[in-house]
Amino acid sequence: PPARPPSPAAAPGSAELVCAQGRNLKAVLCQRCGSRVLLPGAATFARRELLLPAMRKKAAAAAGGGGGDVLREHWLVRDMFSFENVGFTRDVGNVKFLVCADCEAGPIGWHCLDDKDSFYVALERVAHE
């Protein structure tokens, strides 16, 4: 039988997305509108279990509830000014969720207010180009 092409959900740690230094090889985009969130090389691959609410518009994401997903593979950004295009929800406890600044889809990521230099973007919630 012919070999199947790799699925889009192939291991995010694959050579397609992560360079030898552990940084993103491709631009990170919003899945919904295609807006650029991060340039290539702007983030580092990280594994950390984080609970993100189900994808929706910014106002609903800030309200919380409605279930969510435990996501384990993320792009770690150390400086909020590294983002090309990202918005933040209001505080939900000590967390702000990251959303697309253009279409407000999200949350695509997570930021704990206790750690000012760690912004996580879930690989499953974004596209790569």
Side-chain angles (χ1 to χ4, degrees), residues 47 55 74 81 86 121:
R47 291 185 192 274
M55 290 281 285
H74 309 273
F81 296 106
V86 75
V121 177

Side-chain angles (χ1 to χ4, degrees), residues 52-116:
L52 291 180
M55 290 281 285
R56 60 185 79 140
K57 288 284 195 171
K58 181 178 175 179
D69 305 302
V70 174
L71 302 173
R72 292 173 180 83
E73 295 177 325
H74 309 273
W75 293 119
L76 172 60
V77 178
R78 292 291 185 185
D79 180 356
M80 70 183 290
F81 296 106
S82 296
F83 287 104
E84 293 296 301
N85 185 20
V86 75
F88 295 88
T89 65
R90 292 189 178 135
D91 298 1
V92 180
N94 68 338
V95 171
K96 284 184 182 279
F97 294 107
L98 283 59
V99 298
C100 173
D102 281 345
C103 72
E104 296 188 345
I108 60 170
W110 183 93
H111 170 63
C112 179
L113 298 172
D114 296 336
D115 184 357
K116 301 288 185 206

